[in-house]
Amino acid sequence: MITTPDGVIDVNGRSGALGGPPDQARLRSLRAQATSVLVGAGTARTENYGPASKQGLQIAVVTTSCALDFTSPLFTSGCGIIATTVNAPAVPAHSIRAGTDIVDLAAIIEQLPLGMVQVEGGPRLNAALFEADLVDAINLTVSPRIGGVRGASISEAPHELRNFALASVTTDSDFVFVRYERIRSA
Ligand SMILES: NC(=O)c1ccc[n+]([C@@H]2O[C@H](COP(=O)([O-])OP(=O)(O)OC[C@H]3O[C@@H](n4cnc5c(N)ncnc54)[C@H](OP(=O)(O)O)[C@@H]3O)[C@@H](O)[C@H]2O)c1
């Protein structure tokens, strides 16, 4: 996720204006380590998700409605799959399903290929993952820009505070990259 210092995560519904080449390079490097991407349907729609440039990387779109554009390159390429409930409508794409009324995210993650799952937001999916305590690490970019309209932050507030430890802070031009890792008590 990328955020401005004052917590803005998009400009007119898109996050691209907050980023730049250093941030895009960071995203590519994270995707290079990932075996799959998990993204909320709102983000897939507004950010107009396409297929991943990394060969074989699956992009799982979390949705209850299943109202997505299945004629878009994300799905026609075979790269996009749907992560939804067992009750959700049939979809013209590969789907993984868990949970009846709400998506059981832990069970969805178990159905993804073994390895690193790169979550790319948005705030509603992030909140559900924090609430279920499924987040092992947060990779946050602080953008050197201020502006836009304050809307959602990187996560709608989870019900419980979760503790993370600072694992690294690096910079590239004016961007700051912070990594936090989850502290789990034994
Ligand atoms: N700055 C950044 O790094 C960054 C990153 C990502 C997104 N964003 C911004 O975030 C905004 C989009 O956010 P959003 O509020 O639409 O959040 P979102 O989490 O991307 O999407 C919400 C939608 O995704 C589905 N969804 C999310 N969590 C779910 C869950 N636990 N179970 C079932 N379905 C779930 C639902 O889709 P259905 O309605 O289809 O059921 C829900 O309506 C955009 O403006 C985007 O630019 C910013």
Side-chain angles (χ1 to χ4, degrees), residues 1-5 8 15-27 140-146 168-179:
M1 295 290 290
I2 185 166
T3 179
T4 65
V8 169
S15 59
L18 304 178
D23 174 57
Q24 287 154 13
R26 174 77 168 167
L27 181 64
L140 185 69
T141 300
V142 183
S143 164
R145 306 199 171 104
I146 293 278
S168 68
V169 183
T170 55
T171 61
D172 187 347
S173 95
D174 298 315
F175 292 83
V176 181
F177 303 110
V178 192
R179 180 178 168 86

Side-chain angles (χ1 to χ4, degrees), residues 31 39-40 48 74 127 164 174:
R31 279 192 169 194
V39 65
N48 199 18
L74 176 62
F164 286 79
D174 298 315

